[in-house]
Amino acid sequence: MYWTKSVELELNGPGRLQKVRSTLEASECLKLWPNKQGIAYGEAKRVFRAVLRSGAPRQIARAAFIRAAEEAGIYVKKR
């Protein structure tokens, strides 16, 4: 299921924006995460599992993804 608003972030380096549209895509992005020890990173993984397995609201996954990116120092384009 897609989010109502995508998230654009510089996961692959400065100036290289990547658009993430769903919890599944965000989950794949976490495999490339620069800091896998962060609190928000761990929370995002837990939230993603809940959304993908039990149908929890998708927007909580989007918010968790943004928090994890900010925690890791990844630029998130504001809309």
Side-chain angles (χ1 to χ4, degrees), residues 3 5 7 9 20 22-23 26-27 29-30 33 35 38-51 56-72 74 76:
W3 298 334
K5 281 203 268 187
V7 174
L9 68 162
V20 179
S22 70
T23 305
S27 182
C29 286
L30 289 186
W33 227 239
N35 176 11
I39 293 169
Y41 171 84
E43 180 63 18
K45 286 181 70 171
R46 285 187 290 279
V47 168
F48 293 174
R49 279 193 296 274
V51 169
R58 297 174 299 204
Q59 293 312 104
I60 64 169
R62 182 182 182 276
F65 183 61
I66 291 170
R67 283 191 302 275
E70 290 171 344
E71 174 187 73
I74 297 169
V76 178

